[in-house]
Amino acid sequence: MLMAGKRLAVFSIREGKGGSIWVRAGSAFVNKDGSLNVLLDVLPLDGKLHVREAAEKRETPGMGGRYAGEGGLDAAPVGGHS
C-alpha cells in the first residue's frame, strides 16, 4: 500500500540475451495526497519505467545488491542465464 513518506525505487528494465537487466533509474516518494515525486538519475532508452517498493539496503560493503545501482553495479541480470 502506498502511504505518505514511503520510499520507492525506480528501474529501467531492458531485455537482453540472458534475460532482463534491471537498471536503477532513481527514486520516488509518496506525498500526503497519494501522488508521487519521481527523482531520476538516468533516463530510460525505451521511455518505460518500473516503480516498486524500495528494498532494504545491505550493510555489507562490497556485496552486490539485488538490483543494478546498489552495491556499485551498473547493470545486473535478473532471471536469465549467466
Side-chain angles (χ1 to χ4, degrees):
M1 178 176 196
L2 296 181
M3 297 175 17
K6 185 169 221 41
R7 189 175 134 246
L8 304 167
V10 180
F11 297 94
S12 173
I13 305 172
R14 302 291 311 261
E15 294 300 322
K17 293 179 184 177
S20 298
I21 299 172
W22 291 50
V23 177
R24 181 79 182 248
S27 299
F29 302 90
V30 181
N31 297 314
K32 290 180 184 177
D33 65 358
S35 64
L36 297 174
N37 284 346
V38 180
L39 307 172
L40 297 177
D41 297 319
V42 299
L43 295 175
L45 295 174
D46 61 3
K48 297 178 187 176
L49 293 171
H50 177 83
V51 180
R52 64 171 47 217
E53 288 187 26
E56 295 296 321
K57 290 199 175 204
R58 297 181 182 180
E59 295 182 19
T60 308
M63 297 296 290
R66 179 174 172 197
Y67 305 107
E70 294 180 10
L73 298 176
D74 292 327
V78 177
H81 300 289
S82 299

